[in-house]
Amino acid sequence: MHGIPRKAPTQEERDDSSLKAAKLRDLQSLLLHFHHNKIYTEEAIEISAKLLESNPEHYTAWNYRKLAVQHLLDRHQQNQLDSQSPQSILDDELILVENALKTNFKAYGAWHHRKWVLSKGHSSSDRELRLLGKFQKLDSRNFHAWNYRRFITELKKIPDEDELQYTTDMIYDNFSNYSAWHNRSMLLSKLLEKSAKGYEKRENVLSEEFEFVRNALFTDPDDQSGWFYHSWLLGQTLKREPLFLSSSPPHGSNLSLSIDKPYRERHFPLILYFSEAVGGVSSSTVNVEYFYDGGDGLIWFPLAANKLGFSQAWLTYIKYPLDTLESFHVKVTIAQFPGIISSSGMPCSRSCYIYFTASICLNNQEDSELQTTHKISWNEENIKPHSTHPEDANLLASLCKLDITKENKPTTPMLCMETISNEIACSRELLLSSNCKIGKLTLARLLVAHNTLITYGCMDSGTEANYEEILALYHDLMKMDPAHIGYYEDEYSLVLMKQLTPNTESLLKLCGNYQELSSPSISSYTSVRLKGLSLSRVSCLEHLLWVQMLDLSNNKLRSIEGLEALQQLSCLKLSNNRLSSFTALEPLKMLNSLRVLDVSYNEIGAHTIDTRRYLCSSPLNSTTGSKWQSKIFTDGDADLKHFWYAYLLFRDLNLVQLDIVGNAVVDERLKAFLVKLMPALKWFDGESCH
Amino acid sequence: MCLYANVSIFFYGVTSANILEKKDDFASVVMEHLRLNGAYWGLTTLDVLGKLDAVNQDEVVSWIMQCQDQSGVYPGFSGFGGNIGHDPHLHYTLSAIQVLALFDKIDVLDIEKLDIASLQNEDGSFSGDIWGEVDTRFSYIAICSLALLQRLDKINVEKAVAYIVSCKNLDGGFGCTPGAESHAGQIFCCVGALAITGSVDHVDKDLLGWWLCERQVKSGGLNGRPEKLPDVCYSWWVLSSLIMIDRVHWIDKKKLADFILDCQDKENGGISDRPDDAVDVFHTYFGVAGLSLLEYPELKAIDPAYALPVDVVNKIFFTT
């Protein structure tokens, strides 16, 4: 089926094929006959051997063979005349497997049969390793052989160190042996994890491995194998505990609370944002101290669409009672007790804290909730730079506190920093002589890692790498390797977000004061503009948790994963992006404050394939069928069944304004459906409704 | 470049006549034991091309049911063999269920008798048959089969997922058993099984996405592992995996489509593994399925996890 040249067969070839076919057909039908009638004569067994040697993928023949072996072994057990010894019986099987593998060394059935024979306690590890040696010489990437090798090493308890040496030999023989590099990474992981003799000092081992792989990279920079291994080593070097990065309200800020709220709304959100997705944030691991004890322990929610309970952003609600009149302090201690853990298993062991004050405000105008009586037009002339506004004082004060407090910064291990600097130097050297793509990508990743170490560590370890250089590398890559432009755009977006939002100064450049000119009595909102930046994804939102109005229009967004963390978001502009389905809007379900949404001029409904089909909850991936046999598909009318995802999305959003024009999915039927679904909606595609 | 009409009249092993007919050539005989897979590849291709009604449904269904193990020799698992008289195995059981789904005839099956659940092991893995070979391919097959039958409750899904996760490698990919090298075919099986059970969150999408997108080589085709040759069948396995984790925009879809189209035999129809190689129904199916995932015009949309047309899958899950 593979690698056979296309040409019409000659008459001679056709006759030859017919002859072979007839012979094989005879063997196969005889085999089935013997199998169904449990015939295990010497002659029958011989025929099965002939069959398997010419067609090792005939799986029923291998089954027959196993039954024949059992039969012969039983005969020996029963001391029957001229029965074969087990040794001889099993030896025949081993020889048969070797012959079958000569015909096709990728036949699953043959390899499995050999394992089955081995499980009966026959054959030495020497014999098996010799066989493997032969096959791995023929094809060093044969994964069947490598799998079988792992089977034997486990069965015969061959030490990991020996196998590691074998990978060293294979790699020196040929650097382009991904299978050997893969095995090496598995073995090293095991040795490091159990702190085997000679592998106790992790940093030293990794250092040696970097040197080892450097040979491969410099010898053949265009071969991927070494680079994937290098990428793994990098991950191992950078592996660190998750860090608490920021909160909303921020440390040292003063939060205004409205006095005029009914009982059940007397709470405000507290959000904690970490350097990576973590689990285990709960009232047992995070301690919130303030005057009022709400009774039950606070409940924390992960703000991410993933179902494993891991998230970068976590949310809880702090309640305050009716008779609160004065301001009060809140102290939050993160990781006071162990339990917060990253998805890669690293515990958050450093305890740190933030505190802020909350004051009851008698003036209703300070209500941070959006006033929804007028349409938001997003016009440019409505936005003024912040410096001209006095109300900014509070915001500016908050923004200044956004950098991680000094007490909360961990120290970066020296060796880690040295390794990264060293690898940066080596990559630069390599790129001088070879314009290799993965080399460039690696350099970009190293520079980003270097910056992250500096930002999150509190040591004077030199200056940050210039973000412009990193962005330029990605531009280069987009030109060199246009097939993967989508990947480079996503990586570029991550770096760009890091460049735009690291500190107060840069953030202020993005902020504006939005005042609807047509209705000056309405208070203004602080808006953040990230439009027209070619962003394909959003991230690094630790400094944007306070944002109420966000303009992400005219970008290349396909996904808005990450926006769940922006719990204060009231107005969101996503027009002129590449959102291709309603399912891509799933993160919005978590934004309880969202009132104004613009998703016009995207690609919703333009594609026959929904790439988020398996990333959101649906009848397709529920393990209990009955859960979804519910209203939608039984009682629901035709519209409901047709627009079931839009229904689930918009039903829970309390939108006041929605713009959806310019998407392929939009027609009169959908518009009518949505207007009916959202009674609170006042403006739809620019026109008033209800 | 376009998809020549010949693909749709490429009846190599595809019409019911050919499925049931004994052919003379060696290639056909040597693959007699997987004829049921061939039926699935051929018939699904026809459905994606909108030509399934060219087939005699009843004849095919009748032949399929004869492939189910009648001997009762093996306890428990009474699945389907690759052809009449061949031993039952999960490989062919899934194909049988998939073909019956195409014809909307899943109700002819006796689910209790099948007893796929008996093949689940203590650690959550699945054996292909009673002879005990363990491979994540079988995890996918068991999960996909039972999901289509809407009986996932028959197995321990949590353990099944845990076993698959234990086969996750340091490069983000998956192998056939824990510690085995990442391979696009195995990755499809593992990601597909995780998708069907709502567990894709276990996948590091960026890490795996990069490994997968690097399968696209200069010619535009996809290989299955680093430093190997491109092959049309990976247009399915790599592509569907990328789609399930929403990273398909990391490859050049147009270049891939051109590669697949270049693998057609423009005179006799069909698609081969590489340009100018011999065609077969296996690669024809994967080529057409790949083109469907790439949104090639006039092809029915195919579901990346169940590997069946979307309308067939929707019918099973979106109606009462």
Side-chain angles (χ1 to χ4, degrees), chain A residues 1-6 17-18 20-21 24-25 28 32 35-36 38 54-55 57-60 63 66-67 70 106 108 112 116 139 141-143 146-147 150 176 178-179 182-183 185-186 189 222-225 228 231-232 305-308 437-438 441 445 481-484 486-488 490 537 558-559 561 606-615 619-623 629 633-634 644, chain B residues 22-26 29-33 73-74 81-82 85-87 89 92 129 131-133 135 137 152 157 169-171 176 179-181 183 186 195-198 200-202 205-206 210-211 213-216 225-228 231 233 243-244 246-252 263-265 272-273 276-278 280 282-283 292-293 295 301-303 305-306 310 313-314 317-320:
Chain A
M1 272 203 300
H2 288 97
I4 302 170
R6 178 186 308 163
S17 172
S18 281
K20 270 173 77 184
L24 186 61
R25 175 171 287 132
Q28 290 182 169
L32 289 183
H35 184 50
H36 295 149
K38 303 202 210 306
S54 51
N55 187 3
E57 305 213 294
H58 196 288
Y59 69 98
T60 305
N63 297 349
K66 293 181 185 61
L67 288 168
Q70 315 241 75
K106 297 181 182 180
Y108 285 94
H112 183 251
W116 183 83
D139 177 5
R141 299 295 305 281
N142 181 347
F143 65 80
W146 280 100
N147 289 345
R150 279 179 281 266
S176 174
Y178 192 92
S179 312
H182 161 79
N183 221 35
S185 64
M186 301 293 306
S189 286
D222 290 312
D223 187 288
Q224 290 196 340
S225 325
F228 275 98
S231 167
W232 172 69
N306 100 43
K307 299 180 199 96
L308 296 179
K437 148 194 132 176
I438 302 194
L441 179 61
R445 288 173 176 170
D481 184 17
H484 295 116
Y487 174 70
Y488 301 126
D490 276 1
R537 61 202 295 201
R558 302 183 54 266
S559 154
E561 254 178 54
H607 298 278
T608 46
I609 303 285
D610 179 358
T611 59
R612 298 198 68 86
R613 193 160 149 102
Y614 287 98
L615 298 177
L620 296 167
N621 57 17
S622 176
T623 54
Q629 306 289 338
F633 299 108
T634 50
W644 68 276
Chain B
K22 287 204 187 268
K23 293 185 81 184
D24 243 358
D25 61 300
F26 184 74
V29 175
V30 85
M31 291 196 269
E32 204 168 79
H33 64 278
V73 158
Y74 297 129
H86 289 246
D87 281 358
H89 193 286
Y92 315 106
D129 62 12
W131 292 106
E133 184 188 0
D135 188 313
R137 287 176 299 154
L152 269 177
V157 174
N169 288 322
L170 301 167
D171 51 20
C176 48
E181 187 185 339
H183 178 282
Q186 307 295 147
I196 291 172
T197 54
V200 185
D201 291 322
H202 286 283
K205 302 192 212 63
D206 285 342
W210 182 59
W211 191 94
C213 83
E214 280 294 323
R215 297 307 105 240
Q216 184 161 42
R225 300 186 274 164
E227 303 305 320
K228 293 226 122 202
D231 183 329
C233 59
I243 285 181
M244 288 190 275
D246 192 20
R247 298 289 184 271
V248 69
H249 60 290
W250 284 1
I251 58 163
D252 184 334
C263 294
Q264 292 176 91
D265 179 341
S272 57
D273 59 342
D276 303 321
D277 271 359
D280 55 60
F282 176 84
H283 289 96
S292 166
L293 288 180
E295 301 184 59
I302 194 166
D303 182 288
Y306 291 97
V310 169
V313 173
N314 284 353
F317 293 101
F318 287 72
T319 52
T320 51

Side-chain angles (χ1 to χ4, degrees), chain A residues 361-488:
Chain A
C361 193
L362 299 167
N363 183 354
N364 262 351
Q365 283 278 311
E366 290 297 322
D367 191 338
S368 56
E369 236 190 70
L370 178 74
Q371 277 159 11
T372 57
T373 45
H374 286 78
K375 186 167 67 160
I376 301 286
S377 62
W378 297 97
N379 285 338
E380 279 298 313
E381 57 257 24
N382 293 347
I383 302 181
K384 301 233 171 347
H386 252 286
S387 44
T388 59
H389 269 257
E391 281 108 51
D392 294 345
N394 208 16
L395 172 70
L396 277 174
S398 308
L399 290 183
C400 288
K401 311 278 190 188
L402 289 178
D403 297 328
I404 311 173
T405 60
K406 217 163 177 232
E407 299 87 56
N408 289 343
K409 276 200 188 190
T411 41
T412 302
M414 204 60 218
L415 218 41
C416 177
M417 203 60 186
E418 263 177 31
T419 308
I420 299 298
S421 305
N422 209 15
E423 288 307 304
I424 289 175
C426 291
S427 302
R428 288 199 200 280
E429 195 191 317
L430 191 147
L431 287 171
L432 285 176
S433 54
S434 157
N435 196 24
C436 101
K437 148 194 132 176
I438 302 194
K440 268 209 156 90
L441 179 61
T442 303
L443 177 59
R445 288 173 176 170
L446 283 164
L447 293 171
V448 170
H450 173 91
N451 284 0
T452 309
L453 286 175
I454 294 180
T455 314
Y456 297 157
C458 70
M459 57 187 297
D460 302 314
S461 41
T463 45
E464 279 195 359
N466 193 345
Y467 276 110
E468 289 305 325
E469 183 189 356
I470 305 175
L471 294 172
L473 281 168
Y474 279 110
H475 274 304
D476 273 349
L477 285 164
M478 289 185 219
K479 285 201 213 91
M480 277 175 83
D481 184 17
H484 295 116
I485 211 171
Y487 174 70
Y488 301 126

Side-chain angles (χ1 to χ4, degrees), chain A residues 6-21:
Chain A
R6 178 186 308 163
K7 53 187 174 99
T10 62
Q11 189 54 48
E12 198 185 319
E13 282 166 343
R14 251 195 277 262
D15 292 338
D16 206 40
S17 172
S18 281
L19 213 61
K20 270 173 77 184

Side-chain angles (χ1 to χ4, degrees), chain A residues 415-583:
Chain A
L415 218 41
C416 177
M417 203 60 186
E418 263 177 31
T419 308
I420 299 298
S421 305
N422 209 15
E423 288 307 304
I424 289 175
C426 291
S427 302
R428 288 199 200 280
E429 195 191 317
L430 191 147
L431 287 171
L432 285 176
S433 54
S434 157
N435 196 24
C436 101
K437 148 194 132 176
I438 302 194
K440 268 209 156 90
L441 179 61
T442 303
L443 177 59
R445 288 173 176 170
L446 283 164
L447 293 171
V448 170
H450 173 91
N451 284 0
T452 309
L453 286 175
I454 294 180
T455 314
Y456 297 157
C458 70
M459 57 187 297
D460 302 314
S461 41
T463 45
E464 279 195 359
N466 193 345
Y467 276 110
E468 289 305 325
E469 183 189 356
I470 305 175
L471 294 172
L473 281 168
Y474 279 110
H475 274 304
D476 273 349
L477 285 164
M478 289 185 219
K479 285 201 213 91
M480 277 175 83
D481 184 17
H484 295 116
I485 211 171
Y487 174 70
Y488 301 126
E489 277 179 351
D490 276 1
E491 292 292 284
Y492 177 93
S493 300
L494 297 182
V495 177
L496 188 61
M497 288 293 291
K498 280 198 221 271
Q499 184 193 40
L500 292 172
T501 64
N503 52 45
T504 312
E505 198 191 313
S506 42
L507 275 174
L508 278 174
K509 291 194 199 131
L510 304 171
C511 295
N513 201 283
Y514 184 91
Q515 173 84 52
E516 196 67 43
L517 289 177
S518 53
S519 27
S521 59
I522 307 299
S523 45
S524 61
Y525 304 102
T526 308
S527 84
V528 169
R529 277 137 80 225
L530 289 170
K531 59 190 284 192
L533 296 168
S534 296
L535 288 171
S536 55
R537 61 202 295 201
V538 286
S539 68
C540 304
L541 298 166
E542 62 261 29
H543 293 150
L544 294 174
L545 298 177
W546 48 272
V547 176
Q548 294 175 296
M549 194 168 177
L550 179 61
D551 185 352
L552 279 165
S553 63
N554 294 83
N555 277 299
K556 297 179 180 175
L557 292 174
R558 302 183 54 266
S559 154
I560 50 171
E561 254 178 54
L563 283 187
E564 301 95 331
L566 306 187
Q567 287 289 298
Q568 317 269 26
L569 213 50
S570 302
C571 309
L572 178 61
K573 189 163 201 237
L574 291 168
S575 55
N576 295 90
N577 273 291
R578 294 184 186 166
L579 298 166
S580 61
S581 59
F582 282 127
T583 46

